[in-house]
Amino acid sequence: MATVVPTGAGDLRGRCHGRPVKAGPLRRYFAAWPFTTESKTTMDADRIKALQTAFGLSYHVPYALSAEALVGLKDKDVLEVGGSLPARFVLEELGARRWVSIEEMDYWRESTATGHQQGTPPGMAPTAPVAEVKTIDSLGPHAVLHGRIENLPSSLHGQFDVIFSIAAFEHIDRMPRALETMFQALRPGGAVFTMYSPVWSAHDGHHLPKIADSRGNLFDFSNSPIPRWGHLTMRPPELFRYLLDHTDAVAAGEIVYYVYHSPHINRLFTEDYIAFFQQSSFSMEKLQLTFPFQGPEKLIQNAQNTLERLHPGRRHFMNNGILAVLRKCI
């Protein structure tokens, strides 16, 4: 029976067989990054690098291998949520039978308008709105649709073996509905593989895009004027005032908008994701907190104490991301 990961005391109902699963300490189910496993496709570092170069990919290749190891992709019908990996990569290199991608184009229009290129923008024009798809056979072996997973039509329910989603769950703002739609999309025994970062509770969970100021400074995700966890320790007016010591008022205002008001990040804490997973129709098969923050122990402890005081009931601030496997039990 698949494991249900508990967030607190009490009995939780296992989804596979309807038997109660005794809750226990959450730490049992977490493992530190790096995630390591024997890949069924057995690619060495040189091969991974070659694929990254050939297809213009980066983290996508090792993440896909992790998915292959954990849930299997070969000869599977796969629904990719929040991405659109190249056809030759998924069909020939990964061996998927069918690969259908769903892209939220509004996200790309806003993020690329700033020059922000984190992730992989769609490499081909989406073929149709996801809500208008009548049959899966009309899509062929590879298709890119535009829209939201929440709007997946009933014609695509029960049509997939795997849902693959990387660097996307932090952008889903209707999480309960999205999870339920994913559940409906899968065949019995199917699985969701998701791996994503940074989550809102991470030190850089603000997802800052590229923003230039009048002084010629260019700020972005890797060169942020926001202090670590500053989006969690300051309110919007406080962050704006802080930024005025580092940039001009226009740039400061844009940064505050993207951090606190842009509709394209969901601002969920690690504990929120866990709770939504548990409340869904899925059984949680694997949960891993990834990319732990690296820094002096004193800095980490001071940050942890401050964040727990400001956000009662939250304690997972040092993981940058999450890896999860969710199973639709037979």
Side-chain angles (χ1 to χ4, degrees), residues 69 77 91 118 147 180 185 289 306 327:
D77 294 326
L91 299 178
Q118 288 177 346
E180 187 58 30
L289 303 190
T306 297
R327 183 72 62 177

Short mmCIF file of all heavy atoms in Angstrom, two decimals, residues 69 77 91 118 147 180 185 289 306 327:
data_model
loop_
_atom_site.label_atom_id
_atom_site.label_comp_id
_atom_site.label_asym_id
_atom_site.label_seq_id
_atom_site.Cartn_x
_atom_site.Cartn_y
_atom_site.Cartn_z
N ALA A 69 12.93 6.72 -13.53
CA ALA A 69 13.29 5.77 -12.48
C ALA A 69 12.16 5.53 -11.49
O ALA A 69 11.97 4.42 -11.01
CB ALA A 69 14.53 6.29 -11.74
N ASP A 77 1.65 6.82 -21.99
CA ASP A 77 0.96 8.03 -22.43
C ASP A 77 1.13 9.07 -21.34
O ASP A 77 0.67 8.86 -20.21
CB ASP A 77 -0.52 7.75 -22.67
CG ASP A 77 -0.76 6.80 -23.83
OD1 ASP A 77 0.02 6.84 -24.80
OD2 ASP A 77 -1.72 6.00 -23.76
N LEU A 91 9.86 11.31 -27.22
CA LEU A 91 9.42 10.13 -27.95
C LEU A 91 10.56 9.19 -28.29
O LEU A 91 10.40 7.96 -28.23
CB LEU A 91 8.69 10.55 -29.23
CG LEU A 91 7.42 11.39 -29.03
CD1 LEU A 91 6.82 11.77 -30.38
CD2 LEU A 91 6.39 10.67 -28.17
N GLN A 118 13.66 32.00 -17.33
CA GLN A 118 13.75 30.79 -16.52
C GLN A 118 12.76 29.78 -17.06
O GLN A 118 11.65 30.13 -17.43
CB GLN A 118 13.44 31.10 -15.06
CG GLN A 118 14.54 31.89 -14.38
CD GLN A 118 14.17 32.24 -12.97
OE1 GLN A 118 13.02 32.12 -12.58
NE2 GLN A 118 15.13 32.69 -12.21
N GLY A 147 -3.50 26.49 -22.19
CA GLY A 147 -4.56 26.57 -21.20
C GLY A 147 -4.07 26.12 -19.84
O GLY A 147 -2.86 26.02 -19.60
N GLU A 180 -7.29 17.45 -8.51
CA GLU A 180 -8.43 16.59 -8.83
C GLU A 180 -8.52 16.34 -10.33
O GLU A 180 -8.85 15.23 -10.78
CB GLU A 180 -9.72 17.21 -8.31
CG GLU A 180 -10.94 16.31 -8.45
CD GLU A 180 -10.78 14.97 -7.73
OE1 GLU A 180 -10.06 14.91 -6.70
OE2 GLU A 180 -11.37 13.98 -8.20
N ALA A 185 -7.47 12.66 -15.01
CA ALA A 185 -6.77 12.44 -16.28
C ALA A 185 -6.06 11.10 -16.32
O ALA A 185 -5.82 10.56 -17.41
CB ALA A 185 -5.75 13.57 -16.50
N LEU A 289 12.03 16.77 0.23
CA LEU A 289 12.38 18.18 0.22
C LEU A 289 13.75 18.31 -0.41
O LEU A 289 14.70 17.64 -0.01
CB LEU A 289 12.39 18.75 1.65
CG LEU A 289 11.10 18.59 2.44
CD1 LEU A 289 11.16 19.39 3.74
CD2 LEU A 289 9.89 19.00 1.61
N THR A 306 13.49 33.33 13.32
CA THR A 306 12.73 34.50 12.90
C THR A 306 11.51 34.10 12.08
O THR A 306 10.39 34.60 12.29
CB THR A 306 13.61 35.45 12.08
OG1 THR A 306 14.69 35.92 12.90
CG2 THR A 306 12.81 36.65 11.56
N ARG A 327 0.05 8.80 -6.43
CA ARG A 327 -0.45 7.63 -7.13
C ARG A 327 -1.98 7.57 -7.14
O ARG A 327 -2.63 7.82 -6.13
CB ARG A 327 0.09 6.37 -6.46
CG ARG A 327 -0.29 5.06 -7.14
CD ARG A 327 0.42 4.85 -8.44
NE ARG A 327 1.87 4.77 -8.28
CZ ARG A 327 2.70 4.53 -9.28
NH1 ARG A 327 2.23 4.37 -10.54
NH2 ARG A 327 4.01 4.50 -9.08
#
